[in-house]
Amino acid sequence: SHWVGEQLIGLHTQGLQGLGPEFVGKAAPNGVLVTAEMFEGAQMYADDVAAVMRSTNVFTPQVEQLVFMPDIHPENWGTPDCYLYDKAAGVIYLWDYKFGHSLIEVFENWQAIDYVAGILNALGIDGNADQHTRVVIRIAQPRAFHRDGPIREWRVMASDLRGYFNSLANGAGISLSAKAMCHTGAQCRNCQARHACPAALEAGLGLLEVA
């Protein structure tokens, strides 16, 4: 579905909106067959990107482009699903497309905040320019029912994210130190190391005891 979204955004940049249903039933590069549901979700996401492109008259979205966050950690990098920089208005739009069912909140979303750090680095926006740069973070989630709808946004000044960047940098430093500690939480759901994590095992056994 992410791949279909990327293709549809590409069509929008060429003014070819309305095309794309031919993707249904075909295999994505990873070998997975595209279903109608995957296409519909990707279309919702791509249409939202296209609406912003038309409203800003900026048709140069960066889709699945690698960004680096050296100020957080030298090995910190990521690939935002899509971002668009309206330089004239001083606004960065960032989309994170989630096709899963688990609800993802946009406010203080750490993954998106980390991406913003990388985007600011890629655009060369420093500690002076970030005071005049607004950030619009949008979560596109077609299959999770949320009170605010399938597309939710958080608007914040880039300079107001500095504290979050510092927290990420501190967390990265602690996690790679000899004093690293394991903390359970929602992040355990997708952690591939939870089978060997003392904190997760202790929490799980505690739940069994309560039950």
Side-chain angles (χ1 to χ4, degrees):
S1 191
H2 277 77
W3 174 74
V4 174
E6 181 179 0
Q7 306 310 305
L8 292 177
I9 292 172
L11 291 174
H12 278 296
T13 62
Q14 303 172 52
L16 300 175
Q17 58 269 24
L19 301 179
E22 65 274 9
F23 288 118
V24 177
K26 292 188 176 181
N30 62 356
V32 175
L33 293 180
V34 176
T35 66
E37 186 178 29
M38 290 179 186
F39 172 76
E40 290 170 3
Q43 187 176 44
M44 183 203 74
Y45 155 53
D47 285 350
D48 190 61
V49 175
V52 173
M53 287 195 293
R54 289 192 296 270
S55 67
T56 59
N57 202 32
V58 179
F59 294 88
T60 53
Q62 303 299 310
V63 184
E64 300 291 343
Q65 295 296 309
L66 199 64
V67 294
F68 298 89
M69 308 76 157
D71 291 340
I72 291 175
H73 190 273
E75 297 181 26
N76 189 198
W77 56 271
T79 50
D81 291 331
C82 180
Y83 72 89
L84 182 75
Y85 181 37
D86 183 356
K87 188 174 182 178
V91 183
I92 295 172
Y93 296 87
L94 167 65
W95 285 266
D96 196 15
Y97 177 45
K98 302 292 188 185
F99 191 61
H101 293 283
S102 299
L103 284 174
I104 305 297
E105 296 292 349
V106 66
F107 177 66
E108 294 187 333
N109 183 290
W110 287 104
Q111 181 183 13
I113 292 170
D114 194 41
Y115 284 156
V116 172
I119 294 168
L120 292 174
N121 179 61
L123 295 175
I125 296 176
D126 58 20
N128 179 48
D130 69 357
Q131 300 177 63
H132 311 284
T133 303
R134 288 179 292 150
V135 178
V136 180
I137 299 172
R138 295 173 73 82
I139 298 290
Q141 196 172 21
R143 300 199 298 169
F145 297 98
H146 193 284
R147 63 185 179 277
D148 296 329
I151 297 179
R152 305 175 289 282
E153 74 170 25
W154 178 32
R155 292 176 175 262
V156 61
M157 293 301 296
S159 56
D160 290 338
L161 294 175
R162 294 178 191 171
Y164 297 96
F165 298 156
N166 291 337
S167 294
L168 285 170
N170 291 337
I174 293 172
S175 68
L176 295 173
S177 73
K179 298 180 180 180
M181 298 289 292
C182 294
H183 298 279
T184 57
Q187 69 274 9
C188 297
R189 183 194 302 262
N190 300 313
C191 179
Q192 297 181 2
R194 63 186 177 186
H195 68 283
C197 175
L201 292 172
E202 183 177 351
L205 292 173
L207 289 173
L208 287 175
E209 185 174 1
V210 172

